[in-house]
Amino acid sequence: MIKLSSTHPHAFGMLVTALGVLVFVPDALLLRLIGGDMLAVSVWRGFLAGSVFLIWSYGISNAPRPTLRDSLSGLCLLVAVLEGASMILFCASIGHTSVSNALFIFATAPLIAAALSWVFLRETVPIQTLMAIIVSMIGVTVIVSGSFGGTSLLGDGLAFLNACTVAGFYVALRKIGPKNMLPSIGAGYLIGAVCVMPFADFQSYSPAQIGYLFLNGAVILPVAIGLLSIGPRFLPAAEVSMFTVLEVILAPLLVWFVLGENPGGQSLIGGAIIICAIFAHTLWRLRKEQHKKL
């Protein structure tokens, strides 16, 4: 793997990103299998993932790393807070709506990040990106319209807040630039777990649920985040976006196949609109980047 990164960096980036996405695919299914109060799940998930990140950053990895104080100051603190909030909001949204709704709405995060970059970083938003944002918001509206009068409207709203939080996370990372943010991410998970603990309804878990929880928090979340943090160093952002769309497609299908959780017609229609908007926007960005190289 290390040799591939130097001899074929583009192939290495594709491999690492694809692995990160595939590791993430069972995430929502495991949350469903754990069950119970999702705020309690987010507490354990936060403690497990946060501990793994900090142990890796300060006890195992030889990579340059900031002090824990630096990781919790300025924009690094904002990154930690946003990542911790995202972890809580994702679990909460899964607890109040379908996996398909939560992930389809979450998929709008990169486009929301483009809008936030225009507001806070004064970056120009191309007309193609603006059109993709408008179309994706239409998709979100279609999904949410299917929840009116039902119990999943709260979950759809939490999923949209999650997308906005992740978008803010992207913008903060872009402002910070190339820097090891894993310690901040790990600290963010721990902060989120501590903050939500008073509101969680803790219950006893079966051995199977404990196993699912450990796999989810201590393995899948840190491994996937770690791999996906490497990919953008070797790939254009558009190619990374193309891979991450696969999770939005595969994860609901996996939950549907294993647990029979039917997304419903409006969720599928709205999700298709969002995915088509992101896919078309990604193709446009890839073509634009290829023209720059010529």
Side-chain angles (χ1 to χ4, degrees):
M1 289 280 284
I2 297 177
K3 185 177 181 181
L4 182 64
S5 66
S6 57
T7 58
H8 298 87
H10 188 267
F12 176 77
M14 292 181 67
L15 177 61
V16 168
T17 304
L19 287 174
V21 169
L22 290 176
V23 170
F24 243 141
V25 168
D27 183 41
L29 173 62
L30 287 173
L31 291 179
R32 277 284 187 264
L33 292 173
I34 295 167
D37 179 53
M38 283 293 111
L39 289 183
V41 172
S42 69
V43 170
W44 295 119
R45 176 180 161 105
F47 278 129
L48 287 168
S51 298
V52 169
F53 273 117
L54 293 182
I55 290 171
W56 170 262
S57 297
Y58 294 106
I60 300 175
S61 174
N62 293 322
R65 54 187 179 269
T67 64
L68 191 57
R69 182 177 180 179
D70 289 338
S71 298
L72 292 174
S73 60
L75 283 176
C76 293
L77 176 60
L78 179 61
V79 166
V81 170
L82 289 173
E83 185 67 3
S86 171
M87 183 265 299
I88 296 167
L89 287 169
F90 179 70
C91 291
S93 66
I94 291 292
H96 289 88
T97 191
S98 67
V99 168
S100 57
N101 281 26
L103 287 174
F104 287 148
I105 295 173
F106 171 75
T108 62
L111 298 177
I112 297 173
L116 293 179
S117 295
W118 174 70
V119 174
F120 293 104
L121 303 182
R122 295 292 184 263
E123 293 183 352
T124 302
V125 179
I127 185 64
Q128 292 87 348
T129 301
L130 183 60
M131 291 175 61
I133 292 172
I134 293 172
V135 173
S136 67
M137 289 303 109
I138 292 173
V140 171
T141 303
V142 172
I143 293 173
V144 172
S145 67
S147 300
F148 287 131
T151 58
S152 62
L153 185 59
L154 172 61
D156 293 346
L158 291 171
F160 186 72
L161 283 177
N162 182 33
C164 293
T165 302
V166 172
F169 173 80
Y170 290 155
V171 174
L173 285 181
R174 186 171 181 82
K175 181 67 175 178
I176 292 172
K179 185 177 180 180
N180 182 7
M181 296 305 298
L182 292 185
S184 296
I185 292 173
Y189 286 139
L190 293 177
I191 292 171
V194 171
C195 289
V196 80
M197 188 184 296
F199 309 99
D201 180 17
F202 292 99
Q203 304 167 356
S204 59
Y205 291 131
S206 68
Q209 288 175 305
I210 294 173
Y212 294 143
L213 186 58
F214 182 84
L215 178 61
N216 181 266
V219 180
I220 286 181
L221 188 58
V223 170
I225 292 293
L227 290 172
L228 290 175
S229 69
I230 296 173
R233 303 177 192 174
F234 300 90
L235 288 180
E239 289 192 41
V240 175
S241 299
M242 187 83 77
F243 277 104
T244 53
V245 167
L246 291 176
E247 182 205 351
V248 178
I249 298 172
L250 295 177
L253 290 177
L254 181 62
V255 174
W256 192 358
F257 177 77
V258 176
L259 301 180
E261 185 178 295
N262 192 328
Q266 284 182 275
S267 179
L268 291 176
I269 293 172
I273 292 172
I274 293 170
I275 290 171
C276 287
I278 295 172
F279 197 77
H281 184 257
T282 301
L283 288 178
W284 167 74
R285 290 178 65 185
L286 281 173
R287 184 172 297 179
K288 183 179 179 181
E289 290 169 358
Q290 288 173 352
H291 283 316
K292 285 182 179 179
K293 294 178 181 179
L294 297 178

